Amino acid sequence: MRRHYRGEGIDVGALPATPFPMFTAWLAEVARAELPEPNAMVVATATPDGRPSTRTVLLKEFDERGFVFYTNYGSRKGVELGANPAVSLLFPWHALARQVIVTGSAERVSREATTEYFRSRPRGSRIGAWASEQSRPVAGREQLEKRYAEAEAGFADIDDIPVPEFWGGFRVVPGTVEFWQGRENRMHDRLRYLREGDGGGDVSWRVERLSP
């Protein structure tokens, strides 16, 4: 099941000062390649005592402040991030022999940002956010469908479905961003940006090469 990677290497001399332009370029290449769910990422969280959990979610936006996704705050990831904000993201772009790995700290986005995004979602998804007690045990599919039907009936005459208080966004503020490019003979390129600064807005990035 071994695959030989023959991708072009990362031109270290052309690396931008921050990781975000390169992430933007790589994400655009994935989209052009028409890979399924190009913005899918694996989110790894952990309890305060270090028990990890992972799941795949969709990246909804990003900028110099970080990477944003939305969820039920009562879900397992929501609860774990509330108690332990340390988080890791993995973008597994296997078809292009690439990965991007982000480590950092999660913080809630504003309610205004959450509301703006929530209003952009399809109506059915907004109703689903109200209907699902995410990550909690449920007796069966019938109960899920019953809860959805009840929520749908409750919002039948409401066009602007409000955002549940228990639902919203997390922004992952990166401390490191690693770009991984598969190369021949397992001599992969691994370039990691490390955030440096005093936390007061004076932020710079240092790049180091990691052994494959």
Side-chain angles (χ1 to χ4, degrees):
M1 299 177 69
R2 178 178 293 274
R3 178 185 174 190
H4 293 284
Y5 300 118
R6 303 188 187 279
E8 294 184 6
I10 300 174
D11 183 355
V12 179
L15 287 177
T18 79
F20 302 101
M22 187 164 176
F23 180 83
T24 300
W26 275 27
L27 181 60
E29 288 186 41
V30 175
R32 286 196 298 271
E34 298 184 346
L35 301 185
E37 304 286 14
N39 58 327
M41 60 185 182
V42 179
V43 177
T45 60
T47 59
D49 61 352
R51 294 181 180 273
S53 62
T54 59
R55 75 288 295 157
T56 302
V57 305
L58 297 180
L59 174 71
K60 291 303 179 181
E61 59 187 88
F62 71 94
D63 55 25
E64 295 283 337
R65 296 173 297 168
F67 303 83
V68 177
F69 66 93
Y70 291 85
T71 188
N72 185 316
Y73 287 139
S75 67
R76 179 171 180 176
K77 60 183 170 297
V79 171
E80 289 182 353
L81 289 174
N84 176 10
V87 61
S88 178
L89 310 176
L90 167 65
F91 295 86
W93 297 324
H94 303 308
L96 299 182
R98 286 178 174 176
Q99 302 178 70
V100 176
I101 305 163
V102 178
T103 65
S105 181
E107 61 184 26
R108 291 191 181 191
V109 305
S110 69
R111 293 309 292 175
E112 291 78 13
T114 290
T115 299
E116 181 178 358
Y117 169 70
F118 191 77
R119 286 174 173 166
S120 74
R121 288 164 61 91
R123 182 178 179 84
S125 296
R126 284 178 279 167
I127 293 173
W130 281 96
S132 175
E133 296 180 326
Q134 193 174 1
S135 298
R136 298 182 185 179
V138 62
R141 181 73 195 185
E142 296 78 8
Q143 184 176 347
L144 282 177
E145 293 177 351
K146 181 175 181 291
R147 287 181 57 86
Y148 184 89
E150 291 172 346
E152 187 175 35
F155 292 117
D157 299 323
I158 300 176
D159 292 329
D160 187 13
I161 299 173
V163 185
E165 287 297 322
F166 52 79
W167 194 94
F170 281 107
R171 174 178 290 107
V172 177
V173 180
T176 69
V177 182
E178 177 185 336
F179 294 88
W180 185 103
Q181 173 67 66
R183 300 292 303 276
E184 196 169 9
N185 299 319
R186 290 310 192 257
M187 298 298 288
H188 312 309
D189 278 340
R190 296 180 61 188
L191 281 300
R192 181 168 64 185
Y193 283 80
L194 294 93
R195 185 187 187 101
E196 297 181 328
D198 58 10
D202 185 15
V203 174
S204 61
W205 294 86
R206 174 170 58 88
V207 180
E208 63 182 9
R209 178 180 287 274
L210 304 178
S211 298

mmCIF file of all heavy atoms in Angstrom, residues 119-137:
data_model
loop_
_atom_site.group_PDB
_atom_site.id
_atom_site.type_symbol
_atom_site.label_atom_id
_atom_site.label_comp_id
_atom_site.label_asym_id
_atom_site.label_seq_id
_atom_site.Cartn_x
_atom_site.Cartn_y
_atom_site.Cartn_z
ATOM 1 N N ARG A 119 -27.093 33.071 9.348
ATOM 2 C CA ARG A 119 -28.103 33.515 8.380
ATOM 3 C C ARG A 119 -27.757 33.094 6.957
ATOM 4 O O ARG A 119 -28.635 33.066 6.094
ATOM 5 C CB ARG A 119 -28.258 35.032 8.457
ATOM 6 C CG ARG A 119 -29.011 35.502 9.694
ATOM 7 C CD ARG A 119 -29.011 37.008 9.816
ATOM 8 N NE ARG A 119 -29.872 37.457 10.918
ATOM 9 C CZ ARG A 119 -29.857 38.681 11.424
ATOM 10 N NH1 ARG A 119 -29.026 39.592 10.934
ATOM 11 N NH2 ARG A 119 -30.673 39.009 12.407
ATOM 12 N N SER A 120 -26.501 32.777 6.700
ATOM 13 C CA SER A 120 -26.095 32.346 5.361
ATOM 14 C C SER A 120 -26.334 30.852 5.132
ATOM 15 O O SER A 120 -26.243 30.381 3.994
ATOM 16 C CB SER A 120 -24.610 32.663 5.138
ATOM 17 O OG SER A 120 -23.775 31.760 5.853
ATOM 18 N N ARG A 121 -26.640 30.127 6.182
ATOM 19 C CA ARG A 121 -26.839 28.684 6.054
ATOM 20 C C ARG A 121 -28.212 28.375 5.457
ATOM 21 O O ARG A 121 -29.163 29.153 5.625
ATOM 22 C CB ARG A 121 -26.741 28.027 7.445
ATOM 23 C CG ARG A 121 -25.337 27.984 7.992
ATOM 24 C CD ARG A 121 -25.325 27.708 9.487
ATOM 25 N NE ARG A 121 -25.910 26.430 9.842
ATOM 26 C CZ ARG A 121 -25.234 25.285 9.950
ATOM 27 N NH1 ARG A 121 -23.938 25.267 9.699
ATOM 28 N NH2 ARG A 121 -25.843 24.174 10.313
ATOM 29 N N PRO A 122 -28.342 27.242 4.768
ATOM 30 C CA PRO A 122 -29.664 26.838 4.282
ATOM 31 C C PRO A 122 -30.648 26.705 5.439
ATOM 32 O O PRO A 122 -30.254 26.386 6.574
ATOM 33 C CB PRO A 122 -29.403 25.481 3.618
ATOM 34 C CG PRO A 122 -27.943 25.476 3.311
ATOM 35 C CD PRO A 122 -27.292 26.283 4.386
ATOM 36 N N ARG A 123 -31.905 26.937 5.179
ATOM 37 C CA ARG A 123 -32.928 26.890 6.225
ATOM 38 C C ARG A 123 -32.915 25.543 6.956
ATOM 39 O O ARG A 123 -33.007 25.480 8.184
ATOM 40 C CB ARG A 123 -34.316 27.140 5.615
ATOM 41 C CG ARG A 123 -35.440 27.152 6.636
ATOM 42 C CD ARG A 123 -36.794 27.447 6.010
ATOM 43 N NE ARG A 123 -37.854 27.433 7.000
ATOM 44 C CZ ARG A 123 -38.182 28.455 7.773
ATOM 45 N NH1 ARG A 123 -37.520 29.598 7.652
ATOM 46 N NH2 ARG A 123 -39.155 28.362 8.665
ATOM 47 N N GLY A 124 -32.776 24.478 6.198
ATOM 48 C CA GLY A 124 -32.775 23.162 6.831
ATOM 49 C C GLY A 124 -31.627 22.979 7.806
ATOM 50 O O GLY A 124 -31.784 22.348 8.857
ATOM 51 N N SER A 125 -30.464 23.531 7.482
ATOM 52 C CA SER A 125 -29.318 23.438 8.386
ATOM 53 C C SER A 125 -29.544 24.259 9.648
ATOM 54 O O SER A 125 -29.110 23.871 10.740
ATOM 55 C CB SER A 125 -28.050 23.904 7.671
ATOM 56 O OG SER A 125 -27.725 23.058 6.600
ATOM 57 N N ARG A 126 -30.207 25.409 9.501
ATOM 58 C CA ARG A 126 -30.508 26.224 10.683
ATOM 59 C C ARG A 126 -31.481 25.498 11.614
ATOM 60 O O ARG A 126 -31.321 25.503 12.832
ATOM 61 C CB ARG A 126 -31.072 27.577 10.248
ATOM 62 C CG ARG A 126 -30.017 28.537 9.716
ATOM 63 C CD ARG A 126 -30.614 29.841 9.255
ATOM 64 N NE ARG A 126 -31.179 29.730 7.912
ATOM 65 C CZ ARG A 126 -31.973 30.632 7.357
ATOM 66 N NH1 ARG A 126 -32.344 31.710 8.049
ATOM 67 N NH2 ARG A 126 -32.420 30.467 6.131
ATOM 68 N N ILE A 127 -32.480 24.848 11.016
ATOM 69 C CA ILE A 127 -33.415 24.072 11.831
ATOM 70 C C ILE A 127 -32.689 22.905 12.491
ATOM 71 O O ILE A 127 -32.905 22.593 13.672
ATOM 72 C CB ILE A 127 -34.586 23.571 10.971
ATOM 73 C CG1 ILE A 127 -35.441 24.753 10.500
ATOM 74 C CG2 ILE A 127 -35.449 22.570 11.741
ATOM 75 C CD1 ILE A 127 -36.516 24.383 9.509
ATOM 76 N N GLY A 128 -31.786 22.273 11.739
ATOM 77 C CA GLY A 128 -31.036 21.153 12.295
ATOM 78 C C GLY A 128 -30.199 21.536 13.497
ATOM 79 O O GLY A 128 -30.011 20.741 14.423
ATOM 80 N N ALA A 129 -29.682 22.780 13.492
ATOM 81 C CA ALA A 129 -28.897 23.237 14.642
ATOM 82 C C ALA A 129 -29.736 23.269 15.911
ATOM 83 O O ALA A 129 -29.241 22.995 17.016
ATOM 84 C CB ALA A 129 -28.312 24.624 14.357
ATOM 85 N N TRP A 130 -31.021 23.613 15.770
ATOM 86 C CA TRP A 130 -31.931 23.612 16.920
ATOM 87 C C TRP A 130 -32.336 22.188 17.313
ATOM 88 O O TRP A 130 -32.530 21.887 18.494
ATOM 89 C CB TRP A 130 -33.184 24.417 16.588
ATOM 90 C CG TRP A 130 -33.014 25.893 16.690
ATOM 91 C CD1 TRP A 130 -32.737 26.766 15.684
ATOM 92 C CD2 TRP A 130 -33.098 26.677 17.886
ATOM 93 N NE1 TRP A 130 -32.643 28.052 16.170
ATOM 94 C CE2 TRP A 130 -32.864 28.032 17.516
ATOM 95 C CE3 TRP A 130 -33.351 26.382 19.226
ATOM 96 C CZ2 TRP A 130 -32.878 29.072 18.434
ATOM 97 C CZ3 TRP A 130 -33.359 27.428 20.149
ATOM 98 C CH2 TRP A 130 -33.124 28.744 19.759
ATOM 99 N N ALA A 131 -32.456 21.305 16.331
ATOM 100 C CA ALA A 131 -33.024 19.979 16.588
ATOM 101 C C ALA A 131 -32.039 19.002 17.216
ATOM 102 O O ALA A 131 -32.444 18.085 17.933
ATOM 103 C CB ALA A 131 -33.569 19.390 15.285
ATOM 104 N N SER A 132 -30.749 19.176 16.953
ATOM 105 C CA SER A 132 -29.763 18.169 17.366
ATOM 106 C C SER A 132 -29.068 18.549 18.666
ATOM 107 O O SER A 132 -28.503 19.642 18.781
ATOM 108 C CB SER A 132 -28.712 17.987 16.276
ATOM 109 O OG SER A 132 -27.688 17.114 16.706
ATOM 110 N N GLU A 133 -29.104 17.664 19.631
ATOM 111 C CA GLU A 133 -28.293 17.796 20.846
ATOM 112 C C GLU A 133 -26.955 17.115 20.563
ATOM 113 O O GLU A 133 -26.701 15.991 20.987
ATOM 114 C CB GLU A 133 -29.006 17.168 22.038
ATOM 115 C CG GLU A 133 -30.304 17.869 22.404
ATOM 116 C CD GLU A 133 -30.984 17.228 23.601
ATOM 117 O OE1 GLU A 133 -30.882 15.988 23.755
ATOM 118 O OE2 GLU A 133 -31.602 17.962 24.376
ATOM 119 N N GLN A 134 -26.109 17.808 19.856
ATOM 120 C CA GLN A 134 -24.915 17.207 19.264
ATOM 121 C C GLN A 134 -24.043 16.494 20.283
ATOM 122 O O GLN A 134 -23.770 17.009 21.363
ATOM 123 C CB GLN A 134 -24.099 18.292 18.556
ATOM 124 C CG GLN A 134 -23.013 17.755 17.659
ATOM 125 C CD GLN A 134 -22.343 18.865 16.866
ATOM 126 O OE1 GLN A 134 -22.665 20.040 16.984
ATOM 127 N NE2 GLN A 134 -21.395 18.493 16.031
ATOM 128 N N SER A 135 -23.612 15.289 19.909
ATOM 129 C CA SER A 135 -22.721 14.418 20.678
ATOM 130 C C SER A 135 -23.417 13.668 21.811
ATOM 131 O O SER A 135 -22.788 12.827 22.460
ATOM 132 C CB SER A 135 -21.514 15.184 21.251
ATOM 133 O OG SER A 135 -20.725 15.733 20.211
ATOM 134 N N ARG A 136 -24.691 13.953 22.059
ATOM 135 C CA ARG A 136 -25.390 13.257 23.137
ATOM 136 C C ARG A 136 -26.069 11.991 22.609
ATOM 137 O O ARG A 136 -26.508 11.956 21.455
ATOM 138 C CB ARG A 136 -26.432 14.169 23.780
ATOM 139 C CG ARG A 136 -25.828 15.406 24.429
ATOM 140 C CD ARG A 136 -26.880 16.266 25.092
ATOM 141 N NE ARG A 136 -26.308 17.505 25.618
ATOM 142 C CZ ARG A 136 -27.003 18.449 26.233
ATOM 143 N NH1 ARG A 136 -28.325 18.302 26.388
ATOM 144 N NH2 ARG A 136 -26.408 19.532 26.681
ATOM 145 N N PRO A 137 -26.162 10.940 23.427
ATOM 146 C CA PRO A 137 -26.823 9.710 22.979
ATOM 147 C C PRO A 137 -28.279 9.959 22.605
ATOM 148 O O PRO A 137 -28.962 10.809 23.196
ATOM 149 C CB PRO A 137 -26.721 8.795 24.204
ATOM 150 C CG PRO A 137 -25.566 9.326 25.002
ATOM 151 C CD PRO A 137 -25.603 10.813 24.788
#
